[in-house]
Amino acid sequence: MTRMNMFSANRAGYAAVRGLEEHVRSAVPEDLYEIVKLRASILNGCSFCTDMHSRDGLERGTPAAKLFGVAAWHESPHFDDRERAVLRLTDAVTRLAPEGVPDDVWDEAMLHFPEGEVGELVLAIATINVWNRIAITTRLEPMA
């Protein structure tokens, strides 16, 4: 059962996170943004966000096989090198190692995207991680 409604309990804070969400949504290509949100949500074990972003991807026309492949992207044939770089970066930023994001992960992202776009991807990954932590902490339940 949901513990609290963050929107009504903390309107200003919720609005700040929502503002960041709107920024990154407009700055990161939709196809990449969807796999970032889904992958981080899977890693974090966020049932609400995994459900929502799977549904969003299907509604936007992302093939089901690609969405299902996000969970095991290393072995999935459904991703190109650019998408794999984004998924690798999502994994590294979501599960920070003691030394941070490894140089090889960062360098691979920089091969596929200009510096500004990598910055937007980092913000997108950070944003979904914030949403995951809110949803998990408040026990937000998936839509029926």
Side-chain angles (χ1 to χ4, degrees), residues 1-10 134-135 137-140:
M1 181 172 218
T2 301
R3 289 178 168 163
M4 69 183 291
N5 179 320
M6 283 292 286
F7 174 73
S8 61
N10 301 88
I134 290 169
T137 302
T138 62
R139 295 186 180 157
L140 195 57

mmCIF file of all heavy atoms in Angstrom, residues 1-10 134-135 137-140:
data_model
loop_
_atom_site.group_PDB
_atom_site.id
_atom_site.type_symbol
_atom_site.label_atom_id
_atom_site.label_comp_id
_atom_site.label_asym_id
_atom_site.label_seq_id
_atom_site.Cartn_x
_atom_site.Cartn_y
_atom_site.Cartn_z
ATOM 1 N N MET A 1 0.836 -1.182 0.000
ATOM 2 C CA MET A 1 0.000 0.000 0.000
ATOM 3 C C MET A 1 0.886 1.253 0.000
ATOM 4 O O MET A 1 1.884 1.315 0.715
ATOM 5 C CB MET A 1 -0.900 -0.030 1.220
ATOM 6 C CG MET A 1 -1.833 1.130 1.311
ATOM 7 S SD MET A 1 -2.996 0.851 2.657
ATOM 8 C CE MET A 1 -4.422 1.508 1.919
ATOM 9 N N THR A 2 0.502 2.231 -0.781
ATOM 10 C CA THR A 2 1.262 3.468 -0.892
ATOM 11 C C THR A 2 1.311 4.181 0.458
ATOM 12 O O THR A 2 0.301 4.310 1.139
ATOM 13 C CB THR A 2 0.641 4.391 -1.962
ATOM 14 O OG1 THR A 2 0.640 3.689 -3.204
ATOM 15 C CG2 THR A 2 1.440 5.674 -2.113
ATOM 16 N N ARG A 3 2.507 4.652 0.823
ATOM 17 C CA ARG A 3 2.702 5.321 2.113
ATOM 18 C C ARG A 3 2.224 6.765 2.109
ATOM 19 O O ARG A 3 1.737 7.270 3.116
ATOM 20 C CB ARG A 3 4.180 5.307 2.482
ATOM 21 C CG ARG A 3 4.690 3.949 2.865
ATOM 22 C CD ARG A 3 6.165 4.011 3.163
ATOM 23 N NE ARG A 3 6.590 2.774 3.813
ATOM 24 C CZ ARG A 3 7.834 2.401 3.904
ATOM 25 N NH1 ARG A 3 8.803 3.151 3.406
ATOM 26 N NH2 ARG A 3 8.132 1.266 4.497
ATOM 27 N N MET A 4 2.469 7.463 0.991
ATOM 28 C CA MET A 4 2.081 8.875 0.917
ATOM 29 C C MET A 4 2.048 9.312 -0.535
ATOM 30 O O MET A 4 2.627 8.668 -1.404
ATOM 31 C CB MET A 4 3.056 9.765 1.696
ATOM 32 C CG MET A 4 4.441 9.861 1.073
ATOM 33 S SD MET A 4 5.646 10.824 2.005
ATOM 34 C CE MET A 4 5.025 12.460 1.831
ATOM 35 N N ASN A 5 1.384 10.400 -0.781
ATOM 36 C CA ASN A 5 1.329 11.001 -2.104
ATOM 37 C C ASN A 5 2.309 12.175 -2.101
ATOM 38 O O ASN A 5 2.032 13.211 -1.482
ATOM 39 C CB ASN A 5 -0.095 11.468 -2.410
ATOM 40 C CG ASN A 5 -0.218 12.124 -3.770
ATOM 41 O OD1 ASN A 5 0.654 12.873 -4.198
ATOM 42 N ND2 ASN A 5 -1.309 11.846 -4.439
ATOM 43 N N MET A 6 3.457 12.005 -2.750
ATOM 44 C CA MET A 6 4.487 13.047 -2.739
ATOM 45 C C MET A 6 4.003 14.340 -3.384
ATOM 46 O O MET A 6 4.403 15.422 -2.963
ATOM 47 C CB MET A 6 5.749 12.568 -3.460
ATOM 48 C CG MET A 6 6.584 11.611 -2.646
ATOM 49 S SD MET A 6 7.350 12.373 -1.209
ATOM 50 C CE MET A 6 8.632 13.335 -1.990
ATOM 51 N N PHE A 7 3.143 14.243 -4.378
ATOM 52 C CA PHE A 7 2.648 15.445 -5.054
ATOM 53 C C PHE A 7 1.893 16.340 -4.070
ATOM 54 O O PHE A 7 2.127 17.537 -4.013
ATOM 55 C CB PHE A 7 1.756 15.080 -6.242
ATOM 56 C CG PHE A 7 1.119 16.282 -6.879
ATOM 57 C CD1 PHE A 7 1.876 17.152 -7.649
ATOM 58 C CD2 PHE A 7 -0.224 16.543 -6.684
ATOM 59 C CE1 PHE A 7 1.297 18.272 -8.228
ATOM 60 C CE2 PHE A 7 -0.814 17.663 -7.260
ATOM 61 C CZ PHE A 7 -0.053 18.532 -8.035
ATOM 62 N N SER A 8 1.018 15.743 -3.286
ATOM 63 C CA SER A 8 0.238 16.563 -2.352
ATOM 64 C C SER A 8 1.023 16.892 -1.084
ATOM 65 O O SER A 8 0.825 17.949 -0.494
ATOM 66 C CB SER A 8 -1.096 15.889 -2.011
ATOM 67 O OG SER A 8 -0.884 14.649 -1.398
ATOM 68 N N ALA A 9 1.902 16.020 -0.646
ATOM 69 C CA ALA A 9 2.646 16.241 0.595
ATOM 70 C C ALA A 9 3.814 17.208 0.427
ATOM 71 O O ALA A 9 4.195 17.885 1.380
ATOM 72 C CB ALA A 9 3.150 14.908 1.142
ATOM 73 N N ASN A 10 4.403 17.254 -0.761
ATOM 74 C CA ASN A 10 5.602 18.067 -0.999
ATOM 75 C C ASN A 10 5.547 18.696 -2.386
ATOM 76 O O ASN A 10 6.366 18.393 -3.252
ATOM 77 C CB ASN A 10 6.854 17.195 -0.864
ATOM 78 C CG ASN A 10 6.961 16.553 0.491
ATOM 79 O OD1 ASN A 10 6.421 15.468 0.697
ATOM 80 N ND2 ASN A 10 7.602 17.222 1.412
ATOM 81 N N ILE A 134 11.851 7.824 -5.039
ATOM 82 C CA ILE A 134 10.580 8.324 -4.510
ATOM 83 C C ILE A 134 9.522 7.216 -4.558
ATOM 84 O O ILE A 134 8.829 6.963 -3.568
ATOM 85 C CB ILE A 134 10.111 9.569 -5.294
ATOM 86 C CG1 ILE A 134 11.027 10.762 -4.986
ATOM 87 C CG2 ILE A 134 8.650 9.895 -4.973
ATOM 88 C CD1 ILE A 134 10.818 11.963 -5.892
ATOM 89 N N ALA A 135 9.404 6.554 -5.704
ATOM 90 C CA ALA A 135 8.374 5.516 -5.862
ATOM 91 C C ALA A 135 8.608 4.337 -4.923
ATOM 92 O O ALA A 135 7.659 3.822 -4.316
ATOM 93 C CB ALA A 135 8.327 5.044 -7.316
ATOM 94 N N THR A 137 10.406 4.319 -2.046
ATOM 95 C CA THR A 137 10.278 4.753 -0.661
ATOM 96 C C THR A 137 8.819 4.918 -0.239
ATOM 97 O O THR A 137 8.433 4.547 0.869
ATOM 98 C CB THR A 137 11.045 6.066 -0.439
ATOM 99 O OG1 THR A 137 12.419 5.863 -0.782
ATOM 100 C CG2 THR A 137 10.949 6.547 0.999
ATOM 101 N N THR A 138 7.997 5.468 -1.137
ATOM 102 C CA THR A 138 6.594 5.695 -0.814
ATOM 103 C C THR A 138 5.711 4.503 -1.161
ATOM 104 O O THR A 138 4.500 4.553 -0.960
ATOM 105 C CB THR A 138 6.053 6.952 -1.529
ATOM 106 O OG1 THR A 138 6.124 6.765 -2.944
ATOM 107 C CG2 THR A 138 6.831 8.194 -1.123
ATOM 108 N N ARG A 139 6.342 3.453 -1.706
ATOM 109 C CA ARG A 139 5.631 2.226 -2.088
ATOM 110 C C ARG A 139 4.520 2.498 -3.115
ATOM 111 O O ARG A 139 3.414 1.978 -2.994
ATOM 112 C CB ARG A 139 5.081 1.493 -0.870
ATOM 113 C CG ARG A 139 6.164 0.977 0.037
ATOM 114 C CD ARG A 139 5.596 0.125 1.146
ATOM 115 N NE ARG A 139 6.681 -0.348 2.008
ATOM 116 C CZ ARG A 139 6.522 -0.721 3.256
ATOM 117 N NH1 ARG A 139 5.317 -0.736 3.794
ATOM 118 N NH2 ARG A 139 7.545 -1.131 3.960
ATOM 119 N N LEU A 140 4.853 3.308 -4.081
ATOM 120 C CA LEU A 140 3.909 3.618 -5.152
ATOM 121 C C LEU A 140 3.619 2.341 -5.913
ATOM 122 O O LEU A 140 4.547 1.623 -6.331
ATOM 123 C CB LEU A 140 4.522 4.686 -6.058
ATOM 124 C CG LEU A 140 3.606 5.405 -7.025
ATOM 125 C CD1 LEU A 140 2.449 6.066 -6.300
ATOM 126 C CD2 LEU A 140 4.404 6.448 -7.791
#
